[in-house]
């Protein structure tokens, strides 16, 4: 089935056993209060592979009560950072002991390449835990030299009960991007995985318990956005919500937080990231960067370089080489080691992408390659490249979140900067050039939370990222990611008879 090859849902199937399907509350797997369950689908076939418990308001309430109790009276926030860190290290070890099974869960549930899950998603999850485990005993305040007769200091204290609501494109990495810094800070957590991809989250809940994370500290509620998600963001006993997902839902979460207990929120939202390629670039390298910057993880990546601006002198060459790469890209079963791109995660997303492709054609963009779905089962889409795209076209304005690239031609750096900034989003951007002045000017002129020079989607745990503009606010990764879960308390006391000022 391709573009290239591979033959369908069953030929490479390595279906792992689905061991956990209930909600995880206060250290135990439990049915939902309503007893309801919902289907989990394998995007390779479009068929159901499991049913999981469906959490709703009452279940969120129970999970928040458990998290509240664990925060207000339990050992987790009270133990030393070093102790929390050592439990988190154990958690990371357990993840590494189960890499194959966890990778297979994200593959059957998310359509993600098994090979990538094995060497990237799951091992990086362990690394995220270790990064924040190492930071847990280095949470410092500052000493304040105050006016005469006073002294003071600040404490960074855990913010309390954290509600985390995550999307389906990186079920494992999103889970730990939220959970690891919150745990290191000493918070307790209620996490809602996306309804499309709950399976690995439940496995992580089990491993957390085995590692020694106390009951109530990490709770997992499977469920839908309008019910379980909304119950978290409007809950009076949740002290903070950390969200990754669409801008539209981000707005709902902020509204719910404002209408309840004014809890702070951090929002990692959508993007429509520009990548600007200048004429002096090495064309093959630029094409590789641009191609992987969009088609990695089937285009389901928030920072995807979906608007590619190419300077006029090399435009046709870049176009041609990108099309060659797309034609050689193998679409098929994500367990097949030869495959480059598996199915889109859900039917809804698959249909949404195809409808954007139709928009692109109707609005006059030139379809260079792709544009169709592949096969008659599962959610496979050809890598698709449009040329001659204009900023006012729907495919240039809206986030597609799939394997669809828009190519645009520009003449000058000033024009490229202006057009790259012509978006409501500001998550990421890239520039490819050998001219340092150009790289520096573009980096400082683009309004986005992370800029890649001569690379793209290069993440590092110590490098925080997060949006500008309608891509949200707040940071994940790095120490800034940890500070999201800490609040500053100032302590002031008189100091008497000190000769020192
Ligand atoms: P989504 O916003 O529809 O859903 C994300 C999560 O929010 C899911 O768990 C969903 O159940 C929940 N949700 C939905 N409605 C809710 C509500 N009313 N209240 C509370 N929670 C609710 O997004 P999606 O379609 O699952 O994911 C794709 C989007 O996520 C894209 O826009 C993408 O850019 C964005 N994303 C951003 C990043 C980032 O780091 N900035 C990373 C991944 C995905």
């Amino acid at each position: 089935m391709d573009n290239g090859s591979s033959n369908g849902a069953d030929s490479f199937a390595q279906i792992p056993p689905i061991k956990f399907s209930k909600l995880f509350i206060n250290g135990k797997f439990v049915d939902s209060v309503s007893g309801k369950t919902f289907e989990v689908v394998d995007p390779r076939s479009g068929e159901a592979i499991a049913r999981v418990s469906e959490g709703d308001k009452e279940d969120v309430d129970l999970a928040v009560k458990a998290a509240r109790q664990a925060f207000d009276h339990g050992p987790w926030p009270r133990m030393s950072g070093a102790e929390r860190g050592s439990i988190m290290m154990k958690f990371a070890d357990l993840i590494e002991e189960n890499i194959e099974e966890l990778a297979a869960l994200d593959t059957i549930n998310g359509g993600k390449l098994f090979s990538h899950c094995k060497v990237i998603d799951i091992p990086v999850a362990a690394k995220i835990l270790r990064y924040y485990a190492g930071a847990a005993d280095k949470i410092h305040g500052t000493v304040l030299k105050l006016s005469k007769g006073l002294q003071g200091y600040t404490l960074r204290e855990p913010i309390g009960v954290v509600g985390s609501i995550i999307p389906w494109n990186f079920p494992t990495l999103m889970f730990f991007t939220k959970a690891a810094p919150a745990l290191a800070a000493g918070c307790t957590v209620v996490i809602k995985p996306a309804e499309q991809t709950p399976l690995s989250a439940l496995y992580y809940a089990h491993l957390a318990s085995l590692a020694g994370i106390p009951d109530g500290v990490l709770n997992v509620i499977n469920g839908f956005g309008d019910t379980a998600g909304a119950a978290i963001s409007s809950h009076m006993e949740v002290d903070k919500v950390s969200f990754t997902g669409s801008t539209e839902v981000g707005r709902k979460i902020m509204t719910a937080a404002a209408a309840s207990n004014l809890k702070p929120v951090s929002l990692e939202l959508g993007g429509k990231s520009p990548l600007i390629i200048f004429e002096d670039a090495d064309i093959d390298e630029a094409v590789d960067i641009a191609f992987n910057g969009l088609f990695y993880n089937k285009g389901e990546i928030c920072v995807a370089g979906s608007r590619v601006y190419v300077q006029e002198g090399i435009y046709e060459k870049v176009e041609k080489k990108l099309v060659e790469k797309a034609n050689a890209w193998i679409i098929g079963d994500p367990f097949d080691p030869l495959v480059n791109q598996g199915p889109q995660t859900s039917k809804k997303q698959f249909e949404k992408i195809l409808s954007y492709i139709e928009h692109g054609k109707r609005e006059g963009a030139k379809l260079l390659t792709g544009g169709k779905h592949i096969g008659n089962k599962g959610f496979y889409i050809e890598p698709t490249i449009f040329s001659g795209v204009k900023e006012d076209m729907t495919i240039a304005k809206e986030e597609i979140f799939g394997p669809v690239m828009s190519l645009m031609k520009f003449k000058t750096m000033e024009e490229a900067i202006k057009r790259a900034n012509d978006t409501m989003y500001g998550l990421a951007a890239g520039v490819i050039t050998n001219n340092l002045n150009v790289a520096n000017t573009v980096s400082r002129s683009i309004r986005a939370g992370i800029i890649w020079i001569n690379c793209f989607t290069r993440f590092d745990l110590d490098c925080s990222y997060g949006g500008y503009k309608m891509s949200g606010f707040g940071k994940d990764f790095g120490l800034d990611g940890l500070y999201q879960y800490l609040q500053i308390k100032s302590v002031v006391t008189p100091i008497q008879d000190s000769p020192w000022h």
Side-chain angles (χ1 to χ4, degrees):
M1 164 191 329
D2 58 47
N3 266 358
S5 80
S6 205
N7 33 13
D10 301 321
S11 48
F12 295 90
Q14 296 170 28
I15 306 273
I18 293 167
K19 297 174 180 162
F20 309 103
S21 60
K22 298 188 178 191
L23 312 177
F24 190 75
I25 301 177
N26 207 17
K28 291 180 190 58
F29 283 103
V30 295
D31 290 319
S32 57
V33 172
S34 68
K36 283 205 275 186
T37 58
F38 64 96
E39 262 184 7
V40 176
V41 168
D42 181 345
R44 301 177 307 155
S45 62
E47 282 159 19
I49 41 168
R51 292 193 72 85
V52 297
S53 296
E54 179 180 337
D56 203 331
K57 198 167 181 299
E58 296 75 18
D59 308 286
V60 167
D61 212 31
L62 291 173
V64 173
K65 275 203 178 79
R68 185 83 263 160
Q69 174 73 16
F71 185 79
D72 291 345
H73 305 290
W76 189 253
R78 287 164 190 81
M79 65 177 69
S80 69
E83 284 172 288
R84 277 199 302 278
S86 80
I87 294 173
M88 290 173 68
M89 293 282 189
K90 175 93 192 298
F91 191 178
D93 294 344
L94 290 171
I95 288 173
E96 282 179 345
E97 285 168 25
N98 293 280
I99 284 183
E100 292 267 330
E101 196 174 339
L102 288 163
L105 279 178
D106 276 356
T107 299
I108 55 160
N109 197 179
K112 296 171 69 69
L113 294 184
F114 181 62
S115 57
H116 282 193
C117 291
K118 246 170 58 172
V119 299
I120 303 172
D121 296 53
I122 315 301
V124 171
K127 283 187 184 156
I128 298 174
L129 271 170
R130 292 196 181 108
Y131 177 89
Y132 286 110
D137 61 354
K138 298 168 194 72
I139 296 172
H140 301 141
T142 46
V143 176
L144 305 172
K145 201 171 173 203
L146 301 173
S147 41
K148 196 162 172 59
L150 287 178
Q151 67 173 356
Y153 59 91
T154 62
L155 294 169
R156 283 188 195 268
E157 298 186 327
I159 205 159
V161 175
V162 172
S164 296
I165 302 173
I166 57 173
W168 37 260
N169 56 338
F170 288 91
T172 290
L173 290 178
M174 287 293 144
F175 186 95
F176 287 98
T177 300
K178 302 298 186 194
L183 292 174
C187 294
T188 59
V189 183
V190 176
I191 188 158
K192 192 196 87 60
E195 52 272 37
Q196 298 84 351
T197 52
L199 297 182
S200 55
L202 295 170
Y203 205 118
Y204 294 124
H206 162 68
L207 295 183
S209 192
L210 284 186
I213 293 193
D215 293 352
V217 171
L218 183 64
N219 305 274
V220 179
I221 300 288
N222 322 310
F224 294 91
D226 289 340
T227 50
I232 291 174
S233 44
S234 61
H235 204 291
M236 292 298 286
E237 294 287 331
V238 171
D239 298 307
K240 181 201 164 78
V241 170
S242 178
F243 171 71
T244 294
S246 61
T247 296
E248 184 195 345
V249 172
R251 183 178 276 126
K252 288 188 190 172
I253 285 175
M254 210 167 156
T255 306
S260 53
N261 57 344
L262 288 174
K263 59 180 77 63
V265 296
S266 47
L267 305 175
E268 294 285 346
L269 307 177
K272 194 74 199 174
S273 301
L275 170 65
I276 307 174
I277 306 175
F278 285 88
E279 278 167 4
D280 67 339
D282 176 307
I283 295 185
D284 287 326
E285 206 176 292
V287 165
D288 271 356
I289 293 171
F291 195 86
N292 292 318
L294 185 277
F295 293 106
Y296 177 72
N297 202 46
K298 26 174 174 137
E300 292 175 350
I301 175 161
C302 51
V303 294
S306 51
R307 291 184 297 141
V308 180
Y309 290 91
V310 184
Q311 204 162 16
E312 57 184 357
I314 55 167
Y315 189 84
E316 276 75 28
K317 275 194 199 141
V318 170
E319 239 185 10
K320 186 166 164 280
K321 284 178 184 270
L322 282 169
V323 170
E324 281 166 13
K325 277 186 104 59
N327 292 342
W329 198 240
I330 301 172
I331 318 298
D333 190 309
F335 278 109
D336 180 343
L338 296 176
V339 158
N340 302 113
Q341 181 183 306
Q344 307 306 134
T345 301
S346 69
K347 184 159 188 276
K348 187 171 154 212
Q349 185 61 18
F350 168 78
E351 287 169 352
K352 187 172 149 195
I353 296 165
L354 292 173
S355 99
Y356 273 118
I357 292 173
E358 290 312 308
H359 266 291
K361 290 196 233 165
R362 265 203 310 277
E363 292 179 359
K366 182 177 166 199
L367 180 64
L368 293 180
T369 185
K372 296 192 291 298
H373 70 88
I374 302 173
N376 46 24
K377 65 175 178 172
F379 311 138
Y380 297 89
I381 297 183
E382 291 175 338
T384 298
I385 304 178
F386 281 106
S387 183
V389 177
K390 306 263 169 6
E391 278 76 16
D392 61 355
M393 292 179 181
T394 310
I395 55 168
K397 282 196 297 203
E398 296 183 15
E399 183 178 44
I400 299 176
F401 221 59
V404 183
M405 178 184 279
S406 291
L407 281 178
M408 285 113 133
K409 193 188 286 187
F410 73 92
K411 283 191 169 67
T412 65
M413 177 182 73
E414 291 71 21
E415 178 200 342
I417 290 170
K418 186 163 180 293
R419 292 172 63 190
N421 275 329
D422 186 8
T423 170
M424 67 176 189
Y425 292 116
L427 195 54
V431 50
I432 307 183
T433 178
N434 287 312
N435 183 326
L436 196 55
N437 287 333
V438 170
N440 285 334
T441 306
V442 171
S443 307
R444 283 161 189 260
S445 306
I446 301 286
R447 295 189 61 213
I450 186 164
I451 312 283
W452 285 291
I453 300 174
N454 294 336
C455 62
F456 209 82
T457 49
R458 295 298 295 271
F459 286 103
D460 188 282
L461 296 188
D462 205 30
C463 176
S464 61
Y465 73 96
Y468 276 25
K469 296 161 51 178
M470 287 178 72
S471 291
F473 49 84
K475 297 285 178 193
D476 282 329
F477 282 6
L479 291 182
D480 292 323
L482 177 65
Y483 297 151
Q484 303 279 316
Y485 300 97
L486 294 161
Q487 54 194 346
I488 292 179
K489 177 185 281 174
S490 298
V491 181
V492 178
T493 180
I495 180 164
Q496 276 158 17
D497 303 328
S498 166
W500 302 103
H501 184 55

